[in-house]
Short mmCIF file of all heavy atoms in Angstrom, two decimals:
data_model
loop_
_atom_site.label_atom_id
_atom_site.label_comp_id
_atom_site.label_asym_id
_atom_site.label_seq_id
_atom_site.Cartn_x
_atom_site.Cartn_y
_atom_site.Cartn_z
N ARG A 1 13.14 24.31 -32.48
CA ARG A 1 14.37 24.45 -31.71
C ARG A 1 15.36 25.35 -32.44
O ARG A 1 15.48 25.28 -33.67
CB ARG A 1 14.99 23.07 -31.49
CG ARG A 1 16.23 23.07 -30.62
CD ARG A 1 16.88 21.69 -30.62
NE ARG A 1 15.95 20.66 -30.23
CZ ARG A 1 15.67 20.32 -28.98
NH1 ARG A 1 16.26 20.97 -28.00
NH2 ARG A 1 14.82 19.35 -28.72
N LEU A 2 16.07 26.19 -31.72
CA LEU A 2 17.12 27.01 -32.30
C LEU A 2 18.44 26.23 -32.34
O LEU A 2 18.66 25.33 -31.53
CB LEU A 2 17.32 28.29 -31.49
CG LEU A 2 16.54 29.53 -31.95
CD1 LEU A 2 15.05 29.31 -31.80
CD2 LEU A 2 16.98 30.75 -31.16
N THR A 3 19.29 26.61 -33.25
CA THR A 3 20.63 26.03 -33.30
C THR A 3 21.51 26.74 -32.27
O THR A 3 21.16 27.79 -31.72
CB THR A 3 21.26 26.20 -34.69
OG1 THR A 3 21.39 27.61 -34.97
CG2 THR A 3 20.41 25.55 -35.75
N TYR A 4 22.68 26.17 -32.04
CA TYR A 4 23.66 26.77 -31.13
C TYR A 4 24.01 28.19 -31.57
O TYR A 4 24.08 29.10 -30.76
CB TYR A 4 24.91 25.89 -31.09
CG TYR A 4 26.08 26.51 -30.35
CD1 TYR A 4 26.18 26.41 -28.97
CD2 TYR A 4 27.09 27.19 -31.04
CE1 TYR A 4 27.25 26.98 -28.28
CE2 TYR A 4 28.16 27.76 -30.37
CZ TYR A 4 28.24 27.65 -29.00
OH TYR A 4 29.29 28.21 -28.33
N GLY A 5 24.24 28.36 -32.86
CA GLY A 5 24.63 29.67 -33.37
C GLY A 5 23.57 30.73 -33.09
O GLY A 5 23.88 31.86 -32.69
N GLU A 6 22.30 30.38 -33.33
CA GLU A 6 21.22 31.33 -33.06
C GLU A 6 21.15 31.66 -31.57
O GLU A 6 20.99 32.83 -31.18
CB GLU A 6 19.90 30.73 -33.52
CG GLU A 6 19.76 30.57 -35.02
CD GLU A 6 18.62 29.62 -35.35
OE1 GLU A 6 17.47 30.10 -35.36
OE2 GLU A 6 18.87 28.43 -35.59
N ALA A 7 21.26 30.63 -30.74
CA ALA A 7 21.19 30.84 -29.29
C ALA A 7 22.34 31.73 -28.83
O ALA A 7 22.16 32.60 -27.96
CB ALA A 7 21.22 29.51 -28.56
N TRP A 8 23.53 31.54 -29.42
CA TRP A 8 24.68 32.33 -28.98
C TRP A 8 24.50 33.80 -29.34
O TRP A 8 24.80 34.68 -28.53
CB TRP A 8 25.97 31.78 -29.57
CG TRP A 8 27.12 32.58 -29.06
CD1 TRP A 8 27.71 33.65 -29.63
CD2 TRP A 8 27.74 32.42 -27.78
NE1 TRP A 8 28.67 34.17 -28.81
CE2 TRP A 8 28.71 33.44 -27.66
CE3 TRP A 8 27.57 31.51 -26.72
CZ2 TRP A 8 29.52 33.57 -26.54
CZ3 TRP A 8 28.37 31.65 -25.60
CH2 TRP A 8 29.33 32.66 -25.51
N ILE A 9 24.02 34.09 -30.54
CA ILE A 9 23.81 35.50 -30.92
C ILE A 9 22.74 36.12 -30.03
O ILE A 9 22.85 37.29 -29.63
CB ILE A 9 23.43 35.62 -32.41
CG1 ILE A 9 24.57 35.09 -33.28
CG2 ILE A 9 23.12 37.06 -32.77
CD1 ILE A 9 25.91 35.77 -33.05
N ALA A 10 21.73 35.36 -29.69
CA ALA A 10 20.71 35.87 -28.76
C ALA A 10 21.33 36.17 -27.40
O ALA A 10 21.04 37.21 -26.79
CB ALA A 10 19.58 34.86 -28.62
N LEU A 11 22.23 35.28 -26.94
CA LEU A 11 22.91 35.51 -25.66
C LEU A 11 23.77 36.77 -25.72
O LEU A 11 23.80 37.57 -24.78
CB LEU A 11 23.79 34.30 -25.32
CG LEU A 11 24.60 34.40 -24.02
CD1 LEU A 11 23.68 34.48 -22.81
CD2 LEU A 11 25.57 33.23 -23.89
N MET A 12 24.44 36.97 -26.85
CA MET A 12 25.25 38.18 -27.03
C MET A 12 24.39 39.43 -26.87
O MET A 12 24.78 40.38 -26.16
CB MET A 12 25.90 38.17 -28.41
CG MET A 12 26.66 39.43 -28.77
SD MET A 12 27.03 39.55 -30.54
CE MET A 12 25.41 40.03 -31.20
N THR A 13 23.24 39.46 -27.52
CA THR A 13 22.39 40.65 -27.45
C THR A 13 21.83 40.85 -26.05
O THR A 13 21.69 41.99 -25.58
CB THR A 13 21.24 40.57 -28.47
OG1 THR A 13 20.37 39.47 -28.15
CG2 THR A 13 21.77 40.38 -29.88
N LEU A 14 21.51 39.76 -25.36
CA LEU A 14 21.04 39.85 -23.98
C LEU A 14 22.13 40.45 -23.09
O LEU A 14 21.85 41.26 -22.21
CB LEU A 14 20.63 38.48 -23.46
CG LEU A 14 19.31 37.90 -23.98
CD1 LEU A 14 19.17 36.45 -23.53
CD2 LEU A 14 18.13 38.73 -23.50
N PHE A 15 23.36 40.04 -23.32
CA PHE A 15 24.49 40.54 -22.53
C PHE A 15 24.69 42.04 -22.73
O PHE A 15 24.82 42.80 -21.77
CB PHE A 15 25.76 39.78 -22.89
CG PHE A 15 27.00 40.31 -22.25
CD1 PHE A 15 27.15 40.30 -20.86
CD2 PHE A 15 28.05 40.81 -23.01
CE1 PHE A 15 28.30 40.80 -20.26
CE2 PHE A 15 29.20 41.29 -22.43
CZ PHE A 15 29.34 41.29 -21.05
N PHE A 16 24.71 42.48 -23.99
CA PHE A 16 24.92 43.90 -24.25
C PHE A 16 23.78 44.73 -23.66
O PHE A 16 24.01 45.82 -23.12
CB PHE A 16 25.02 44.14 -25.76
CG PHE A 16 26.27 43.60 -26.39
CD1 PHE A 16 26.30 43.26 -27.73
CD2 PHE A 16 27.43 43.43 -25.64
CE1 PHE A 16 27.45 42.76 -28.32
CE2 PHE A 16 28.58 42.93 -26.21
CZ PHE A 16 28.60 42.60 -27.56
N SER A 17 22.55 44.22 -23.76
CA SER A 17 21.41 44.93 -23.19
C SER A 17 21.49 44.96 -21.67
O SER A 17 21.26 46.00 -21.04
CB SER A 17 20.11 44.28 -23.65
OG SER A 17 18.98 44.90 -23.08
N ASP A 18 21.83 43.83 -21.08
CA ASP A 18 21.94 43.71 -19.63
C ASP A 18 23.01 44.66 -19.08
O ASP A 18 22.84 45.25 -18.01
CB ASP A 18 22.28 42.26 -19.26
CG ASP A 18 22.48 42.05 -17.77
OD1 ASP A 18 21.47 41.94 -17.06
OD2 ASP A 18 23.65 41.99 -17.33
N GLN A 19 24.10 44.80 -19.83
CA GLN A 19 25.22 45.63 -19.37
C GLN A 19 25.05 47.10 -19.73
O GLN A 19 25.92 47.91 -19.41
CB GLN A 19 26.52 45.10 -19.96
CG GLN A 19 26.89 43.71 -19.48
CD GLN A 19 27.17 43.68 -17.99
OE1 GLN A 19 28.06 44.38 -17.50
NE2 GLN A 19 26.41 42.87 -17.26
N ARG A 20 23.97 47.43 -20.42
CA ARG A 20 23.67 48.82 -20.81
C ARG A 20 24.86 49.47 -21.50
O ARG A 20 25.33 50.57 -21.13
CB ARG A 20 23.26 49.64 -19.58
CG ARG A 20 22.02 49.10 -18.87
CD ARG A 20 21.64 49.96 -17.67
NE ARG A 20 20.51 49.42 -16.96
CZ ARG A 20 19.22 49.63 -17.28
NH1 ARG A 20 18.94 50.38 -18.33
NH2 ARG A 20 18.26 49.09 -16.56
N VAL A 21 25.37 48.79 -22.53
CA VAL A 21 26.51 49.33 -23.25
C VAL A 21 26.12 50.58 -24.02
O VAL A 21 24.96 50.75 -24.43
CB VAL A 21 27.12 48.28 -24.22
CG1 VAL A 21 27.59 47.06 -23.45
CG2 VAL A 21 26.12 47.88 -25.31
N ASP A 22 27.09 51.47 -24.21
CA ASP A 22 26.88 52.64 -25.04
C ASP A 22 27.02 52.30 -26.51
O ASP A 22 26.41 52.96 -27.37
CB ASP A 22 27.91 53.73 -24.70
CG ASP A 22 27.80 54.21 -23.26
OD1 ASP A 22 26.67 54.37 -22.78
OD2 ASP A 22 28.86 54.41 -22.63
N VAL A 23 27.83 51.31 -26.81
CA VAL A 23 28.10 50.89 -28.18
C VAL A 23 28.62 49.46 -28.14
O VAL A 23 29.22 49.04 -27.14
CB VAL A 23 29.13 51.84 -28.86
CG1 VAL A 23 30.44 51.88 -28.08
CG2 VAL A 23 29.37 51.47 -30.31
N ALA A 24 28.39 48.70 -29.20
CA ALA A 24 28.88 47.33 -29.29
C ALA A 24 29.64 47.15 -30.60
O ALA A 24 29.23 47.67 -31.64
CB ALA A 24 27.73 46.32 -29.21
N VAL A 25 30.74 46.42 -30.53
CA VAL A 25 31.51 46.04 -31.71
C VAL A 25 31.33 44.54 -31.89
O VAL A 25 31.62 43.76 -30.98
CB VAL A 25 33.00 46.39 -31.55
CG1 VAL A 25 33.78 46.00 -32.80
CG2 VAL A 25 33.18 47.87 -31.25
N VAL A 26 30.84 44.15 -33.06
CA VAL A 26 30.48 42.76 -33.30
C VAL A 26 31.27 42.22 -34.48
O VAL A 26 31.18 42.73 -35.60
CB VAL A 26 28.97 42.60 -33.57
CG1 VAL A 26 28.62 41.16 -33.89
CG2 VAL A 26 28.17 43.09 -32.36
N GLU A 27 32.04 41.17 -34.23
CA GLU A 27 32.80 40.50 -35.29
C GLU A 27 31.91 39.47 -35.98
O GLU A 27 31.21 38.70 -35.33
CB GLU A 27 34.03 39.81 -34.71
CG GLU A 27 34.85 39.04 -35.73
CD GLU A 27 35.93 38.18 -35.12
OE1 GLU A 27 36.10 38.20 -33.88
OE2 GLU A 27 36.60 37.46 -35.89
N VAL A 28 31.95 39.48 -37.30
CA VAL A 28 31.24 38.47 -38.09
C VAL A 28 31.87 37.11 -37.83
O VAL A 28 33.08 37.00 -37.63
CB VAL A 28 31.32 38.81 -39.59
CG1 VAL A 28 30.74 37.69 -40.44
CG2 VAL A 28 30.59 40.13 -39.86
N GLY A 29 31.05 36.06 -37.84
CA GLY A 29 31.59 34.72 -37.65
C GLY A 29 32.33 34.24 -38.89
O GLY A 29 33.56 34.16 -38.93
N ALA A 30 31.60 33.90 -39.94
CA ALA A 30 32.20 33.48 -41.21
C ALA A 30 31.34 34.02 -42.34
O ALA A 30 30.12 34.09 -42.24
CB ALA A 30 32.29 31.96 -41.29
N GLY A 31 31.99 34.41 -43.42
CA GLY A 31 31.24 34.97 -44.54
C GLY A 31 30.74 36.35 -44.19
O GLY A 31 31.51 37.26 -43.94
N GLY A 32 29.45 36.51 -44.16
CA GLY A 32 28.86 37.81 -43.84
C GLY A 32 27.40 37.88 -44.24
O GLY A 32 26.52 38.07 -43.41
N ARG A 33 27.12 37.67 -45.50
CA ARG A 33 25.75 37.81 -46.01
C ARG A 33 24.77 36.92 -45.26
O ARG A 33 23.65 37.34 -44.94
CB ARG A 33 25.73 37.50 -47.51
CG ARG A 33 24.43 37.87 -48.20
CD ARG A 33 24.53 37.66 -49.69
NE ARG A 33 25.54 38.50 -50.31
CZ ARG A 33 25.31 39.72 -50.78
NH1 ARG A 33 24.10 40.26 -50.68
NH2 ARG A 33 26.30 40.41 -51.33
N PHE A 34 25.18 35.68 -44.98
CA PHE A 34 24.29 34.74 -44.30
C PHE A 34 24.79 34.39 -42.91
O PHE A 34 24.33 33.41 -42.32
CB PHE A 34 24.10 33.49 -45.16
CG PHE A 34 23.61 33.79 -46.54
CD1 PHE A 34 24.36 33.45 -47.65
CD2 PHE A 34 22.40 34.44 -46.73
CE1 PHE A 34 23.91 33.74 -48.93
CE2 PHE A 34 21.95 34.75 -48.00
CZ PHE A 34 22.71 34.40 -49.11
N ASP A 35 25.74 35.17 -42.40
CA ASP A 35 26.17 34.97 -41.02
C ASP A 35 25.07 35.47 -40.09
O ASP A 35 24.39 36.47 -40.37
CB ASP A 35 27.47 35.75 -40.77
CG ASP A 35 28.03 35.48 -39.40
OD1 ASP A 35 28.62 34.40 -39.21
OD2 ASP A 35 27.88 36.34 -38.51
N LEU A 36 24.90 34.79 -38.97
CA LEU A 36 23.80 35.14 -38.07
C LEU A 36 23.94 36.55 -37.49
O LEU A 36 22.93 37.16 -37.13
CB LEU A 36 23.70 34.11 -36.95
CG LEU A 36 23.16 32.74 -37.37
CD1 LEU A 36 23.38 31.71 -36.28
CD2 LEU A 36 21.69 32.84 -37.74
N THR A 37 25.16 37.09 -37.41
CA THR A 37 25.29 38.46 -36.92
C THR A 37 24.70 39.47 -37.89
O THR A 37 24.49 40.64 -37.52
CB THR A 37 26.77 38.83 -36.68
OG1 THR A 37 27.49 38.79 -37.92
CG2 THR A 37 27.41 37.89 -35.67
N ASN A 38 24.43 39.04 -39.11
CA ASN A 38 23.95 39.99 -40.12
C ASN A 38 22.47 40.36 -39.96
O ASN A 38 21.92 41.10 -40.77
CB ASN A 38 24.20 39.45 -41.53
CG ASN A 38 24.37 40.57 -42.54
OD1 ASN A 38 24.81 41.66 -42.20
ND2 ASN A 38 24.02 40.30 -43.79
N ILE A 39 21.84 39.86 -38.91
CA ILE A 39 20.47 40.31 -38.59
C ILE A 39 20.52 41.66 -37.88
O ILE A 39 19.48 42.31 -37.70
CB ILE A 39 19.71 39.27 -37.74
CG1 ILE A 39 20.46 38.93 -36.45
CG2 ILE A 39 19.49 37.99 -38.55
CD1 ILE A 39 20.11 39.75 -35.28
N LEU A 40 21.72 42.09 -37.49
CA LEU A 40 21.87 43.36 -36.78
C LEU A 40 21.87 44.53 -37.76
O LEU A 40 22.31 44.40 -38.90
CB LEU A 40 23.18 43.37 -36.00
CG LEU A 40 23.37 42.26 -34.96
CD1 LEU A 40 24.79 42.27 -34.42
CD2 LEU A 40 22.36 42.39 -33.84
N THR A 41 21.42 45.68 -37.32
CA THR A 41 21.49 46.91 -38.11
C THR A 41 22.53 47.82 -37.45
O THR A 41 22.28 48.40 -36.40
CB THR A 41 20.14 47.62 -38.16
OG1 THR A 41 19.18 46.75 -38.75
CG2 THR A 41 20.23 48.89 -38.99
N PRO A 42 23.71 47.95 -38.06
CA PRO A 42 24.79 48.71 -37.43
C PRO A 42 24.73 50.19 -37.81
O PRO A 42 23.92 50.61 -38.64
CB PRO A 42 26.04 48.06 -38.01
CG PRO A 42 25.61 47.66 -39.40
CD PRO A 42 24.14 47.27 -39.29
N VAL A 43 25.63 50.95 -37.20
CA VAL A 43 25.83 52.34 -37.63
C VAL A 43 26.98 52.43 -38.62
O VAL A 43 27.16 53.43 -39.30
CB VAL A 43 26.11 53.27 -36.43
CG1 VAL A 43 24.90 53.33 -35.53
CG2 VAL A 43 27.35 52.83 -35.65
N LEU A 44 27.78 51.35 -38.70
CA LEU A 44 28.91 51.30 -39.62
C LEU A 44 29.24 49.85 -39.92
O LEU A 44 29.29 49.02 -39.01
CB LEU A 44 30.13 52.00 -39.02
CG LEU A 44 31.41 52.03 -39.85
CD1 LEU A 44 31.19 52.85 -41.14
CD2 LEU A 44 32.56 52.63 -39.04
N SER A 45 29.45 49.55 -41.21
CA SER A 45 29.87 48.20 -41.63
C SER A 45 31.31 48.28 -42.11
O SER A 45 31.68 49.20 -42.84
CB SER A 45 28.97 47.69 -42.76
OG SER A 45 27.62 47.67 -42.37
N VAL A 46 32.12 47.31 -41.72
CA VAL A 46 33.55 47.33 -42.02
C VAL A 46 33.96 45.97 -42.60
O VAL A 46 33.61 44.93 -42.04
CB VAL A 46 34.39 47.63 -40.77
CG1 VAL A 46 35.88 47.70 -41.12
CG2 VAL A 46 33.92 48.90 -40.09
N ILE A 47 34.69 46.00 -43.71
CA ILE A 47 35.23 44.78 -44.31
C ILE A 47 36.75 44.90 -44.33
O ILE A 47 37.30 45.81 -44.94
CB ILE A 47 34.70 44.56 -45.74
CG1 ILE A 47 33.17 44.51 -45.73
CG2 ILE A 47 35.27 43.27 -46.34
CD1 ILE A 47 32.55 44.43 -47.12
#
């Protein structure tokens, strides 16, 4: 079973794909290194 956090990030990616976005801006939840959004490969990382 996935946790809520994993399911939510999956939902986010489904939404962006469904909406055929040109670009997505993703805010980190907490921390960063082990935040679930960190499975993404961005074009730019911002702290």
